[in-house]
């Protein structure tokens, strides 16, 4: 009797787990076209006081260009980028890579499930993004001459670390909530995934699958050890304030213990899928505390046009 009861529990548990699993697979057809409209509202509480609120929006056009032996070729273009204000260097730098790739047609190869494999025209995208970078950062420098050195450092940093295929694909499509981010993944409620993003920041993603796989929630939390935070702080000081590096390095334990250096980030992204596996809508909510600067943002990406 006990054996039968245990077997029944195992069967029920297996059925429960299976019901909470989903494979994100998109039914692409050549010629399919979808336009997403994205809106984000962001509030910045600066450590020196004051509050800055911005609203930005853009469109992302995804076209299925062809089917091949590997899967599908998609063309992705971000356009109509707008912001209600340009509030300081931090706000200007936010979403910089999207601005650099504005109106640039990016061709990506996917597998049969829609998972991104590579950017096919990476060299062309990098060349155009580099040209746009010079224009964007030169414009910032003209309006903020006192930040010339910081902007020069930013130029070198962007060129070195961001303008290559892997970083472009991660930052444009995978690191943040996007219509292509989950393609090809097999997800289960309670599944925990460790993700490393730019600057070596590590996050834990916790997944919850509901509505028979039609809804997926991704809870994201920064996960840095004390040693990793120490290394990150010293790296940033060495790059942006080298004259203060020795002093900070000698007193780094005291600085960390003071609580003045804090890096926290928590976010929730809820994906809703339609019957063809395309993302119908993404709703995002993020809160960050980065060294005293508190940023909260809410956003939505929703289909405003599709031809199927």
């Amino acid at each position: 009797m006990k054996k039968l009861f245990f077997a029944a529990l195992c069967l029920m548990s297996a059925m429960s787990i299976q019901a909470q699993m989903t494979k994100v697979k998109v039914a692409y057809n050549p010629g399919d076209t979808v336009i997403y409209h994205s809106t984000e509202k962001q509030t910045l509480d600066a450590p020196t006081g004051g509050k800055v609120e911005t609203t930005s929006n853009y469109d992302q056009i995804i076209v299925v260009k062809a089917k091949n032996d590997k899967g599908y070729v998609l063309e992705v273009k971000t356009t109509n980028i707008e912001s209600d204000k340009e509030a300081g260097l931090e706000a200007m730098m936010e979403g910089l890579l999207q601005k650099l790739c504005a109106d640039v047609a990016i061709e990506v190869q996917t597998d049969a499930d829609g998972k991104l494999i590579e950017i096919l025209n990476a060299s062309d995208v990098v060349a155009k993004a580099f040209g746009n970078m010079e224009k964007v950062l030169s414009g910032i420098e003209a309006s903020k001459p006192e930040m010339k050195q910081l902007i020069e450092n930013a130029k070198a940093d962007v060129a070195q670390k961001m303008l290559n295929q892997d970083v472009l694909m991660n930052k444009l499509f995978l690191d943040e909530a996007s219509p292509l981010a989950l393609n090809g993944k097999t997800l289960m409620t309670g599944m925990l995934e460790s993700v490393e993003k730019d600057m070596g920041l590590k996050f834990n993603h916790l997944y919850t699958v509901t509505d028979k796989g039609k809804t997926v929630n991704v809870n994201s939390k920064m996960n840095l050890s004390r040693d990793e935070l120490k290394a990150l702080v010293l790296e940033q000081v060495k790059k942006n304030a080298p004259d203060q590096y020795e002093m900070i390095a000698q007193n780094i334990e005291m600085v960390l213990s003071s609580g003045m250096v804090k890096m926290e980030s928590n976010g929730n992204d809820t994906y809703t899928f339609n019957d063809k596996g395309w993302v119908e809508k993404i709703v995002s909510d993020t809160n960050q505390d980065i060294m005293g600067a508190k940023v909260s943002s809410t956003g939505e990406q929703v289909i405003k046009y599709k031809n199927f």
Side-chain angles (χ1 to χ4, degrees):
M1 185 67 181
K2 289 182 179 179
K3 289 182 179 180
L4 288 174
F5 181 66
F6 180 72
L9 283 177
C10 290
L11 178 60
M12 289 172 65
S13 177
M15 291 175 65
S16 175
I17 290 174
Q18 185 175 8
Q20 299 174 72
M21 291 182 66
T22 186
K23 174 69 177 287
V24 182
K25 182 175 182 178
V26 193
Y28 287 139
N29 287 299
D32 284 353
T33 300
V34 171
I35 302 177
Y36 291 92
H37 182 68
S38 300
T39 302
E40 181 181 29
K41 294 182 180 180
Q42 186 176 91
T43 301
L44 167 65
D45 291 311
T48 54
K51 179 179 292 188
V52 176
E53 296 181 344
T54 61
T55 299
S56 58
N57 56 80
Y58 63 89
D59 290 334
Q60 187 174 69
I61 306 168
I62 301 177
V63 181
V64 183
K65 302 293 288 185
K67 183 179 181 180
N68 57 26
D69 293 340
K70 294 181 180 179
Y72 299 89
V73 176
L74 311 182
E75 180 184 273
V76 185
K77 183 186 290 187
T78 301
T79 188
N80 299 328
I81 299 177
E82 297 177 348
S83 179
D84 63 345
K85 63 179 70 174
E86 295 293 350
L89 180 63
E90 293 85 359
M92 294 181 194
M93 293 294 287
E94 182 69 24
L96 177 63
L97 194 55
Q98 278 189 337
K99 296 173 186 175
L100 300 191
C101 294
D103 297 312
V104 177
I106 303 173
E107 292 189 353
V108 296
Q109 176 69 57
T110 80
D111 66 10
D113 295 331
K115 179 181 178 180
L116 294 186
I117 299 173
E118 62 179 328
I119 297 177
L120 298 175
N121 61 336
S123 58
D124 183 50
V125 172
V126 167
K128 291 178 179 177
F130 190 85
N132 288 340
M133 179 188 72
E134 290 290 335
K135 294 177 184 177
V136 170
L137 294 184
S138 294
I140 296 174
E141 186 176 329
S143 63
K144 300 284 183 180
E146 71 276 12
M147 295 186 174
K148 180 177 180 180
Q149 187 56 54
L150 182 60
I151 293 169
E152 288 300 318
N153 291 342
K155 284 184 181 180
D157 204 41
V158 170
Q160 179 183 1
K161 295 184 178 181
M162 294 174 68
L163 296 184
N164 64 71
Q165 175 170 188
D166 290 340
V167 175
L168 282 172
M169 190 157 70
N170 286 334
K171 287 194 68 62
L172 289 174
F173 306 122
L174 302 177
D175 280 356
E176 307 298 333
S178 90
L180 303 176
L182 300 184
N183 286 4
K185 287 181 177 288
T186 297
L187 305 173
M188 181 177 68
T189 292
M191 172 179 162
L192 191 65
E193 181 182 31
S194 180
V195 178
E196 184 170 319
K197 301 184 182 181
D198 55 320
M199 288 175 42
L201 297 178
K202 295 179 180 179
F203 288 77
N204 285 336
H205 287 181
L206 178 65
Y207 295 93
T208 303
V209 180
T210 56
D211 193 24
K212 297 181 180 179
K214 292 291 184 67
T215 302
V216 175
N217 175 262
V218 187
N219 179 268
S220 175
K221 186 174 183 179
M222 190 181 292
N223 181 31
L224 284 180
S225 69
R226 187 179 178 88
D227 286 342
E228 289 169 336
L229 178 58
K230 184 193 304 183
L232 182 63
V233 169
L234 291 177
E235 179 186 355
Q236 295 304 307
V237 171
K238 190 172 186 178
K239 181 172 61 178
N240 296 309
D243 55 320
Q244 300 180 39
Y245 178 78
E246 289 301 328
M247 181 187 70
I248 297 294
Q250 291 173 13
N251 297 280
I252 186 64
E253 288 295 340
M254 183 176 66
V255 171
L256 293 182
S257 297
S258 71
M260 295 173 59
V261 177
K262 183 187 291 185
M263 297 192 72
E264 296 179 351
S265 179
N266 296 279
N268 269 291
D269 302 311
T270 300
Y271 291 72
T272 305
F273 297 87
N274 62 30
D275 291 338
K276 292 194 65 176
W278 286 81
V279 170
E280 191 72 28
K281 181 167 68 173
I282 306 172
V283 177
S284 301
D285 184 1
T286 304
N287 290 282
Q288 299 176 321
D289 187 340
I290 308 297
M291 298 185 186
K294 297 182 179 180
V295 181
S296 60
S297 62
T298 58
E300 182 179 86
Q301 303 173 56
V302 61
I303 290 178
K304 75 171 189 179
Y305 168 83
K306 59 185 178 184
N307 66 351
F308 54 84

